Structure formats: C-alpha cells, structure tokens
Amino acid sequence: MVKTYDLKILNKTVSMPLDAALETYQIYDEFFTKLKIDNQVYECNAVDMYACLEYYRLLLEKQDTFILCYGSRIDTYPSGMLRDMSGGFRTYLLVWGELPTIVVNLLDYSDEKIGTVKEQKDYYDKWRADIKRKL
C-alpha cells in the first residue's frame, strides 16, 4: 500500500517554501520512496524511512534546499531500536543533558533547527558525549 506524505521544502536561496510529496511503500524489509518537488522526481530505496530521508537530504543540500520536518532538525536522532520498531518513521528529539524520552514522527512538519546531515550527526555526537560524562 502506497502512503503519501505532504512535505514542505525550503531553498535557502529563494527563501520560499515549496510543496512536495513523498510516496512510500514497503516490500518485506525494504522501503521504496519517491520524492516529488514540482516536476522533479527523486527515488530511493533503503532499509528504512530514516535512511531514505537522509539520502534525499544529502541530495538536496547540494542545492541549498532542506526538507522542513523533524527528521531534518539537528537536535533529532533515532536509536537503532527505534528505527527497527518504527521502520525509521520515528526519531528522538534530543534535549541537551537529558536521556532521550521524546519521540516524534520523522516526517511531521518542523521549521526549527533545520540543518545538514553533518550538523545533525555532529550535534548527536556532542550530545551523546555529554550524556556519557554525566552517567
């Protein structure tokens, strides 16, 4: 069954959000997706939705374009177990200095703290190191 998610895309050069649609379906352990922005279509298949979103984010970053969703925030990151249990559709909202307890939907709209894949990974690494020091 194909599910469609309405997304907002922001090109920082133009500074105007664009509408986009993400179609997803799963066959056994593989996710298939199509991202449609205007008359462009991008395709990805991967182990879960998080991996597909990361692929699209890396592709769009080259055009200074960002997907406005929780999965694109620098202060979100999923655990392996959360990815397995949700098919990569859920992620943790990381609060500095606290263990992760807030779970959000990866594709839900957010325009706060949007960053690159590298910025997100760097934030996660620093957050994780801070947590380890406190334990």
Side-chain angles (χ1 to χ4, degrees):
M1 179 167 118
V2 176
K3 290 186 179 181
T4 302
Y5 298 88
D6 294 324
L7 299 175
K8 293 286 185 189
I9 308 293
L10 179 67
N11 181 295
K12 288 193 174 181
T13 306
V14 180
S15 293
M16 186 171 176
L18 303 170
D19 292 326
L22 180 68
E23 294 178 355
T24 68
Y25 64 96
Q26 182 179 357
I27 299 176
Y28 300 110
D29 292 336
E30 192 163 12
F31 282 79
F32 296 85
T33 62
K34 284 184 185 180
L35 179 62
K36 298 177 181 181
I37 306 170
D38 289 331
N39 50 357
Q40 293 181 333
V41 177
Y42 305 95
E43 294 186 45
C44 175
N45 54 310
V47 296
D48 66 13
M49 190 63 233
Y50 188 82
C52 289
L53 180 64
E54 188 173 83
Y55 169 81
Y56 292 128
R57 290 176 63 205
L58 288 167
L59 190 69
L60 294 172
E61 283 174 17
K62 295 174 187 174
Q63 303 166 33
D64 206 23
T65 301
F66 298 86
I67 301 171
L68 301 179
C69 66
Y70 275 100
S72 295
R73 289 177 57 142
I74 63 168
D75 62 345
T76 62
Y77 209 83
S79 67
M81 185 173 79
L82 188 58
R83 285 178 76 168
D84 286 345
M85 292 176 59
S86 72
F89 278 92
R90 297 194 190 273
T91 189
Y92 285 110
L93 181 61
L94 305 175
V95 177
W96 197 260
E98 296 180 18
L99 291 173
T101 58
I102 304 168
V103 178
V104 294
N105 292 320
L106 189 75
L107 300 174
D108 280 357
Y109 177 81
S110 178
D111 62 359
E112 298 176 24
K113 300 182 182 179
I114 301 298
T116 66
V117 170
K118 183 182 180 333
E119 288 171 330
Q120 185 180 49
K121 287 181 179 178
D122 289 348
Y123 182 94
Y124 172 73
D125 289 342
K126 290 174 186 172
W127 171 86
R128 188 171 178 216
D130 181 65
I131 290 294
K132 283 185 174 184
R133 273 194 301 277
K134 292 179 179 179
L135 294 179

